[in-house]
Each structure stands twice: as structure tokens, then as C-alpha cells.
Amino acid sequence: MYKAGILGTGYYVPEKIITNFDLEKIVDTSDEWIKTRTGIEQRRQAAKDEYTSDMGVKAAEKAIKNANLKKEDIDLIITATITGDYPWPSTATIIANKLDLSDIPAFDISAACSGFIYGLKLADSLIKSGDFKHILLVASEKLSSITDYTDRNTCVLLGDGAGAVIIGRSEESEILSTVIHSDGSKLELLYQPGGGCVNPASEETVKNKLHYLKMNGADIFKLAVEKMPEVLEKALKLANIPAEKIDFVIFHQANIRIINNIAKRFGWPDEKNIVNIQKYGNTSAATIPIALAEAIEQGKIKKGKLIAFSTFGAGLTWAGAVIKL
Ligand code: UT7
């Protein structure tokens, strides 16, 4: 068995910034409400002709470069997204094509906000088994394409962006544990009702706004504060690392109150808690790899550090992981 680690990271966020003040002009909300209830001050929005695959490619190119690899070294692409370029085929194959890579396998994972850690678990196993050498895991979301900008309950939360990592054989860096869970009985707490075979696109589904993301925020909040620490505890135990040994934690960036509440419970001070929700909002699968890549780029997180991840999202799905960078 080989050891698998993260060899390189990259991220990309679109240029256009939507501030809370911009949203005040289109829905009944306020900068004060959004900041105090969520921690978000602004989010990015992709251009009309800038797609999930384009953002993914930009993040991927940076990750490949940071890993000191050539794109031809990549032998598998996994994309975590709920806002693929098309319902099918996968966005991973589109990313492969845009990177000028043909023949290599490429597929998507649909695990919403947990997609990155689901992908990490899969990539870890595929590297350990010896089947692949360099896996590109891209989490990319154009949530603005499924956001109802008349619904103040959701439109203030969501943003666009992409994060990518290269996972490969390594002696220094190591994925120490990954834990993934799901509960399909509560899917209606967070989902897109239209566009699948239950409600295929029709005049009716468009009129009833079924192609937008729908969320019961309060119920999701309650479950997130229960499941995220639970899965984090499991990931720490599996990695055999006590919480106090963790150098940095990166939570899914959905709400600052969830993030700070859990960090406090584990005894992690602000310096260990990597937060960028104020700048990018909730980018679903992309929040964790964007925060990781950005913190590395800023020189905050260095090689050899122990990092814990925890997330919760649609499915429902939740996941945790511990890595040594
Ligand atoms: O990424 C997947 C995981 N997602 C999450 O983890 C998100 C979890 N949920 C949350 O972060 C929070 O539940 C929200 C930020 C979505 C909502 O915050 P909350 O403190 O739970 O507010 P609430 O839903 O209980 O609503 C409180 C009030 C309501 O008004 P009434 O009914 O009390 O009069 C809402 O209508 O706040 C109102 N409200 C707003 N007011 C101003 C909801 N959204 C807004 C808004 N601006 N944007």
C-alpha cells in the first residue's frame, strides 16, 4: 500500500463581487442582518459565460503547478459539484477536455457540500491501492445559476468559486482519515426540486421556480451543529490525533455561527480556525478546498501541519477528515 497525500492546491473565484449592500437593493434584507446571522459580507458571481468547468480548470491549473507536475501527469479527474455545466454528462470530462487531456477517466461526485471530502476519501483509496498516481480533485460551483434572487432566505448565502487539489503518492503529506455519512430521509430540507426525472423541466416547473435551490435553513442549522462535531470526533479518533494537536481546522463555510460554535467546543482558538466566509459566502463543495488553497497561498498554512475538515450539506450528507499537509 502506498501513502496518499495532497501534493498541490489551487483556487479560483470570479471577479465580480456582490456585496450585502447590493443585495439590499433587490431583496428585503440588510447588511447588518446578513453579517450578524451568517458572517457573510460579500460573495463572488461568475460571468454569464463563465461556467463551473471554467472555474474548475483555473483552480486545477494552479493546483497542478503548485504540485510541480505537468497536466499530462494527471491520470484521473474527479469533480465534486451540484451545478455541473449540464445535467449530464459529467463536468469532469469537460474539465479534462479544457485541460487538453483525453483518454484519462473523469467523473463527477454528487454529494453537495460534502463532495470535496467524499472525493478525498475516494482519491485516498485509489492512490493507496496503486491504481492511480496523480488524481485531480476539483470542487467547483456556479451556485448563482440555481439561486432565486427574490428569495432572501437563500440568495444572501450563496457564491461561486472553485478549489482543486492533486492527490498522489507521498511520504511527507498524508490523508490520515476520512469519514463520510448520509441520510436521504431529509432530502427536502435542502434540494433542487426541478430538472430531474421527478419534475422534468416544463412551463409549470419554471413558473413554480422549481429549478432553484430550496432550503429550510433553521432545520439544516440544527442538524449541522449536531453532525459536524460528531463526524469530526470520528475523524480525529480514526487518525489517532487529539484535538489539541490539530494546527488548523477548516469547516464548510456556511454560517459563522456554526463554525465558531464548533471550533469553541473543540477548544480551537481563532488562529487555528481558517475562515473566509465573509469574502465568498457558501460555495457548497468548494468552500473547504478554496479556504485550504487560499490559506496556503497566504503563507498561513505550511507543509507538515495537521489540518481537520468538517462539513454538512444536502443529501443530507456530512463528512470529516484529518490530513497532514
Ligand atoms: O451549505 C449547506 C449547509 N447550510 C447551512 O448550514 C445553512 C444553515 N442555516 C443557516 O445558516 C441559517 O439558518 C440561516 C442563515 C439560513 C438563517 O438564519 P436564522 O438565524 O436561522 O434565521 P431564521 O431562518 O430563523 O429566520 C429568522 C428571521 C425570519 O423572520 P421572522 O419569520 O422571524 O419574521 C426570516 O424571515 O429572519 C428572516 N430572514 C431574513 N431577514 C433579513 C431570513 N433571511 C433573511 C435575510 N434578511 N436575508
Side-chain angles (χ1 to χ4, degrees), residues 28-30 33-34 37-38 113 152-153 156-157 190 215 217-218 220-221 224 252 254-255 257-258 282 284 312-314:
D28 179 16
T29 191
S30 66
W33 190 96
I34 303 170
R37 305 308 292 163
T38 73
C113 304
R152 69 174 184 175
N153 291 295
V156 302
L157 308 171
L190 179 52
M215 179 168 77
I220 290 285
F221 190 103
H252 171 45
N255 189 310
R257 291 181 290 140
I258 299 177
N282 182 348
S284 186
F312 185 88

Side-chain angles (χ1 to χ4, degrees), residues 98-287:
K98 287 184 176 173
L99 285 170
D100 267 331
L101 294 173
S102 58
D103 276 353
I104 63 164
F107 62 89
D108 289 359
I109 291 182
S110 175
C113 304
S114 307
F116 175 72
I117 298 181
Y118 269 63
L120 202 62
K121 180 164 200 76
L122 186 57
D124 181 39
S125 296
L126 293 172
I127 294 294
K128 278 181 178 154
S129 72
D131 270 354
F132 293 93
K133 281 196 180 140
H134 300 112
I135 299 174
L136 167 61
L137 172 61
V138 188
S140 184
E141 301 282 15
K142 186 172 178 176
L143 291 178
S144 61
S145 67
I146 56 163
T147 298
D148 178 357
Y149 286 98
T150 64
D151 176 15
R152 69 174 184 175
N153 291 295
T154 53
C155 76
V156 302
L157 308 171
L158 310 170
D160 299 337
V165 297
I166 308 295
I167 298 149
R169 294 174 192 172
S170 173
E171 283 306 314
E172 299 93 45
S173 171
E174 190 177 355
I175 297 168
L176 297 167
S177 68
T178 48
V179 182
I180 58 176
H181 288 282
S182 81
D183 175 3
S185 70
K186 298 187 181 72
L187 100 121
E188 286 172 18
L189 293 183
L190 179 52
Y191 76 134
Q192 180 185 321
C197 69
V198 175
N199 298 304
S202 66
E203 261 178 54
E204 185 90 2
T205 61
V206 172
K207 200 174 79 206
N208 293 327
K209 299 185 168 188
L210 298 190
H211 300 275
Y212 291 128
L213 175 151
K214 311 279 179 199
M215 179 168 77
N216 176 333
D219 283 2
I220 290 285
F221 190 103
K222 275 185 229 140
L223 286 161
V225 292
E226 178 192 327
K227 297 297 182 192
M228 283 168 70
E230 209 174 276
V231 77
L232 197 45
E233 197 77 66
K234 282 189 192 170
L236 289 168
K237 212 165 174 187
L238 197 62
N240 204 15
I241 309 269
E244 59 273 18
K245 284 259 160 64
I246 290 293
D247 297 305
F248 295 99
V249 60
I250 304 180
F251 293 103
H252 171 45
Q253 306 286 297
N255 189 310
I256 194 68
R257 291 181 290 140
I258 299 177
I259 294 169
N260 287 345
N261 172 298
I262 304 173
K264 204 166 153 199
R265 281 199 245 169
F266 280 81
W268 290 317
D270 289 351
E271 311 83 77
K272 289 193 173 190
N273 187 6
I274 302 293
V275 172
N276 63 11
I277 190 172
Q278 69 284 2
K279 291 193 292 186
Y280 307 133
N282 182 348
T283 57
S284 186
T287 65

Side-chain angles (χ1 to χ4, degrees), residues 247-250 272 274 291-307 309 325:
D247 297 305
F248 295 99
V249 60
I250 304 180
K272 289 193 173 190
I274 302 293
L292 175 68
E294 186 178 55
I296 292 170
E297 188 182 82
Q298 291 169 342
K300 252 192 234 170
I301 299 186
K302 299 214 159 56
K303 281 249 163 245
K305 294 296 178 191
L306 289 169
I307 310 166
F309 302 132
L325 191 65

Side-chain angles (χ1 to χ4, degrees), residues 44-63:
R44 300 298 177 104
Q45 193 181 70
K48 208 159 181 261
D49 60 352
E50 185 178 38
Y51 308 121
T52 295
S53 61
D54 299 315
M55 294 187 281
V57 164
K58 287 192 173 132
E61 282 170 340
K62 270 182 154 182

